[in-house]
């Protein structure tokens, strides 16, 4: 770019994306939108809550002029996503987060194979799902319905961040962690073909996915799952 210079200040929450100082002078081309200019600095627009120029809020389509003082704010929390029920789509790298969101009853689609950014963005738009990813390029695709960057690489922190940011309704133990289908109560006879002899003798309460048929019971890892659910309900239940 070789045109008007503007002065940009980024919110501290966006420091991860800003390679240099949070306050800087940016040279624009005089025709690109402010949204495009901000993205060119490395900040996905999914992480931008509002843009202010000389004390007034402007849309991403605003074309900055020479000398503008721009404030790039982070998204408000909890973030409102109007236009559809709140539900998510996760890329191939976020399998553990997907299972934990489903454990909490949050509608969470997940691609277990790498289907490519165009296909993910198209699914986000078609199903009106918030795309969760650590891929900044994916989050910059215009066809996305909505998106959010996952800041941590640790599933525990990822879950807390998404629950804090979006505050989805939590309905633990209602979704299949394998396919996202809804669970129903099941009898021993309905799930017997999935159980080993010891399981049949030790448990008498079962659930089954209405979509894939997978059976659930309070097995060896149940206490770990209960701990995840209890922490989430304590901190984020509405």
């Amino acid at each position: 770019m070789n045109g008007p210079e503007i002065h940009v200040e980024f919110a501290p929450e966006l420091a991860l994306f800003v390679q240099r100082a949070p306050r800087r002078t940016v040279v624009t081309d005089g025709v690109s939108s402010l949204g495009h200019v901000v993205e060119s600095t490395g900040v996905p627009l999914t992480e931008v809550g509002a843009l202010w120029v000389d004390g007034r809020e402007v849309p991403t389509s605003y074309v900055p002029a020479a000398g503008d003082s721009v404030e790039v704010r982070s998204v408000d929390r909890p973030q409102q996503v109007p236009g559809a029920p709140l539900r998510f789509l996760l890329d191939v790298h976020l399998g553990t987060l997907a299972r934990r969101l489903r454990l909490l009853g949050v509608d969470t689609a997940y691609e277990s194979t790498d289907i490519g950014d165009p296909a993910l963005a198209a699914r986000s738009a078609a199903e009106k799902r918030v795309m969760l990813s650590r891929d900044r390029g994916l989050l910059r695709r215009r066809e996305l319905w909505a998106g959010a960057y996952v800041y941590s690489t640790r599933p525990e922190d990822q879950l807390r961040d998404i629950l804090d940011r979006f505050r989805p309704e939590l309905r633990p133990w209602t979704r299949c962690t394998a396919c996202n289908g809804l669970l129903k109560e099941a009898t021993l006879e309905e799930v017997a073909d999935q159980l080993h002899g010891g399981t049949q003798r030790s448990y008498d309460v079962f659930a089954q996915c209405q979509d894939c048929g997978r059976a659930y019971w309070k097995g060896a890892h149940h206490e770990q799952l209960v701990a995840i659910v209890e922490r989430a309900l304590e901190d984020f239940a509405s």
Side-chain angles (χ1 to χ4, degrees):
M1 295 184 182
N2 186 18
E5 291 187 351
I6 62 175
H7 308 287
V8 183
E9 180 176 358
F10 297 91
E13 295 85 353
L14 302 176
L16 171 68
F17 307 104
V18 182
Q19 299 301 317
R20 294 179 289 166
R23 297 181 182 180
R24 68 174 71 173
T25 297
V26 176
V27 179
T28 72
D29 61 8
V31 295
S32 293
S33 69
L34 184 55
H36 177 81
V37 173
V38 169
E39 281 198 322
S40 72
T41 67
V43 181
L45 287 183
T46 60
E47 307 312 295
V48 175
L51 297 170
W52 288 72
V53 174
D54 295 327
R56 71 186 192 282
E57 187 173 358
V58 300
T60 56
S61 59
Y62 172 82
V63 178
D68 277 353
S69 293
V70 178
E71 180 185 355
V72 182
R73 299 183 179 181
S74 59
V75 293
D76 293 330
R77 294 189 177 221
Q79 181 178 353
Q80 301 300 312
V81 185
L86 180 61
R87 51 190 181 179
F88 299 101
L89 170 62
L90 280 62
D91 67 20
V92 66
H93 303 292
L94 298 175
T96 300
L97 176 60
R99 289 189 293 273
R100 293 188 179 190
L101 285 170
R102 290 171 176 174
L103 173 67
L104 296 171
V106 179
D107 189 341
T108 305
Y110 165 65
E111 291 291 348
S112 60
T113 58
D114 189 356
I115 64 173
D117 289 1
L120 284 169
R123 183 174 182 185
S124 166
E127 300 180 11
K128 292 187 176 180
R129 291 181 179 273
V130 180
M131 184 78 240
L132 302 183
S133 179
R134 288 179 52 77
D135 182 342
R136 303 180 196 183
L138 170 58
L139 295 177
R140 292 180 63 176
R141 297 193 69 91
R142 292 291 179 261
E143 61 269 40
L144 277 180
W145 182 70
Y149 185 77
V150 178
Y151 286 78
S152 176
T153 58
R154 299 180 67 250
E156 295 81 3
D157 296 335
Q158 292 173 346
L159 182 63
R160 289 190 60 84
D161 182 46
I162 297 305
L163 295 182
D164 177 68
R165 177 165 174 170
F166 292 100
R167 295 297 175 117
E169 180 183 2
L170 303 183
R171 299 179 61 213
W173 317 109
T174 61
R175 286 190 178 274
C176 176
T177 57
C179 81
N180 196 45
L182 293 174
L183 301 182
K184 65 178 182 67
E185 292 184 2
T187 64
L188 173 60
E189 290 72 23
E190 289 174 313
V191 299
D193 60 335
Q194 299 184 51
L195 309 178
H196 301 295
T199 302
Q200 294 190 35
R201 292 190 299 270
S202 302
Y203 303 98
D204 57 7
V205 178
F206 301 93
Q208 188 173 31
C209 177
Q210 299 182 53
D211 289 347
C212 73
R214 179 171 176 170
Y216 289 86
W217 60 92
K218 296 179 181 179
H221 301 293
H222 186 69
E223 290 187 3
Q224 299 175 25
L225 301 180
V226 168
I228 293 172
V229 168
E230 289 181 345
R231 283 196 298 270
L233 290 177
E234 181 179 355
D235 293 339
F236 301 107
S238 55

